[in-house]
Structure formats: C-alpha cells, structure tokens
Amino acid sequence: MRIFISWITKSLIAVAAALGLQAAQAQGLLFTPGSINFSNTAAGSVSAAQSVTVEYQGPTPFILNVSSVTPPANSAFTVVDSSCAAGPYPQFTPCTISFTFTAPAAAGPVTDAFRFEVDNLGTQSITLNGSSDGATPQSITFSSTPPSPAPVGGSYDIAATGGESGEPVVFSIDPSAAAICSVTGNTVSFLSVGTCVVNANQAGNGAYFAAPQEQQSFAVTAAPTANPGTPEPVPALGAWAAVLLSSLVAVAMVLVQTRRRVQPA
C-alpha cells in the first residue's frame, strides 16, 4: 500500500512539475515557427512568402492584452499579410503573419523581428533572418563618336550602352557646358563655341549598382562663313562679234597705211 501511495505521489509531483514547466514555457504568445530563415541570397531577388502562427496558450489570464505590434524596421522584410493586431488575445485563438524577404544590394546577413508588446510580459517577437550576396557593378560605354568639326548650329546623335540592369542610359549636359550645347533625348545641339560635355548615367536596381557616370567632351567650333563664290567667266565672243572685231582691225590698218602715204617726204 505504501508503495502504491508513494508511486501516486511521485507521479503527481512529476505531472505537476511538467505542467509547471509547460506553463512557464507557454506563458505569453507562442510563435510557430519561432523564427524564419529565408534562403534567397541573390541581390534583388524576392522570396516566397512564409507564415508564422501566433497563439496565446498561457494558463492565466484567459485573455492576454497586446498593447502594440511593431513590424520589422528593415525594408528587406515585408509583411504581405497579417491578421495579428494590437488588442486582446484569447487563449487558443491564433492569428497569422506572412513575410517575404528581398535580398538587398549590400552583401551580408540581415536580421530583424516582428515585435509584440504584451502587458506585464514585455516584448515578445518573431525573429527574421536573411542574407544577400550583394549587387553587381555595371558600367557605361559610349558607342558614338562626335563630329569633327562640330560647328555651331549643328547637331549630333549620341549613343551609349549600359549594364545589365535594364535601366536606360540617360544623357544630360554637364553644368559647365550649359551655354555650349544642349541635349534632347539623344540629340546634342551645338549652341556656341567652346567645349561640350555630355554626362551619361544609368540607374541601378536591387541586383545592380548604379553605373558610375561617364562623360564625353568635344570642341564646338564657329559656323563656317558664307562662300563668296567665284567670279563669273568673261563670256566668249559670238561669231558676229568676231567678224566685227576683224573688220575694225582691217579698217584700222587701212587708215594707218593711208596716213603714211599722204605724209610729205
């Protein structure tokens, strides 16, 4: 009999200890899973959504009050759906939060949390972990050559190729050359004598850094002067003019001969 009572006593003590341990472990909010580890690492890539179930399972009180919820501050983690909000949390009534992770341009680990501020229990949170391989550099190369000379009043279609971000290469005139040339789209117009400087820029995205700015510079020269033209050639004598000239020459020779004859010896 003593053995049986002793066995019951030990069993009750064990059960009480287990219940006490479970109560201590479950006091407050239970997160399933307690943390999320995102596997995507390519800069700019977005993970599939992962969800966490939040449930109050504490023994007392029957309703837990959550005074505030704070989403992750790091923009790499995005809350795409949530039924969890500040307010009362009855026992065994779950809510769900779904997250995605966008690997940033900067390489390295990324950690943050979704936090619940619970009355009398302090902060309880879901841990979020991700990592990024880092963004890829890209560059710009001019594929057109400016004209030489580039006279005032002329224009030039400029062209350049960029990196693999898919963002367009955008041209602009450097402030130092604002009075020398202008650009609309990819057409550079020559305004006055000096050095034209065209800037080329390409934006980045999550997977690529912005390309370093490249410049193309060239001299704009004075517009050419008007061509004075060539003198018109003396028109050739017509047939009648040639006959007249010959007749005049013949008459002149006759007069000269006659004059010589009438002069005294």
Side-chain angles (χ1 to χ4, degrees):
M1 186 67 175
R2 290 180 181 177
I3 295 174
F4 179 72
I5 294 174
S6 177
W7 178 83
I8 293 176
T9 301
K10 290 180 179 179
S11 298
L12 290 173
I13 292 173
V15 170
L19 290 175
L21 177 61
Q22 182 179 3
Q25 290 176 337
Q27 182 66 32
L29 298 175
L30 177 66
F31 305 124
T32 308
S35 63
I36 295 179
N37 298 312
F38 295 95
S39 59
N40 61 302
T41 59
S45 64
V46 182
S47 72
Q50 295 194 51
S51 299
V52 174
T53 299
V54 184
E55 185 178 8
Y56 172 48
Q57 293 187 352
T60 58
F62 294 107
I63 297 178
L64 190 69
N65 186 62
V66 175
S67 57
S68 64
V69 294
T70 305
N74 194 310
S75 59
F77 300 105
T78 302
V79 178
V80 294
D81 186 42
S82 176
S83 60
C84 300
Y89 277 66
Q91 289 186 11
F92 311 113
T93 303
C95 64
T96 303
I97 310 173
S98 296
F99 304 90
T100 60
F101 172 66
T102 303
V110 185
T111 301
D112 210 323
F114 192 102
R115 297 174 175 84
F116 295 78
E117 191 66 31
V118 182
D119 288 356
N120 303 322
L121 296 177
T123 301
Q124 300 189 344
S125 59
I126 306 162
T127 301
L128 307 172
N129 301 303
S131 182
S132 175
D133 295 333
T136 302
Q138 59 180 352
S139 61
I140 297 170
T141 303
F142 283 99
S143 56
S144 62
T145 302
S148 182
V152 171
S155 64
Y156 155 54
D157 287 338
I158 194 167
T161 57
E164 297 179 355
S165 69
E167 299 295 329
V169 176
V170 178
F171 301 107
S172 63
I173 299 301
D174 193 78
S176 64
I180 308 302
C181 50
S182 64
V183 64
T184 302
N186 68 331
T187 300
V188 181
S189 299
F190 312 140
L191 306 178
S192 61
V193 175
T195 300
C196 178
V197 182
V198 183
N199 297 330
N201 293 278
Q202 184 185 27
N205 54 27
Y208 291 87
F209 290 115
Q213 185 183 82
E214 292 292 336
Q215 290 185 325
Q216 186 181 79
S217 60
F218 53 92
V220 177
T221 59
T225 57
N227 190 342
T230 56
E232 293 186 3
V234 177
L237 293 175
W240 64 269
V243 172
L244 179 60
L245 181 60
S246 299
S247 300
L248 290 175
V249 171
V251 170
M253 292 180 66
V254 169
L255 291 175
V256 170
Q257 292 295 328
T258 302
R259 187 175 181 180
R260 286 178 179 175
R261 290 175 182 171
V262 299
Q263 284 182 353

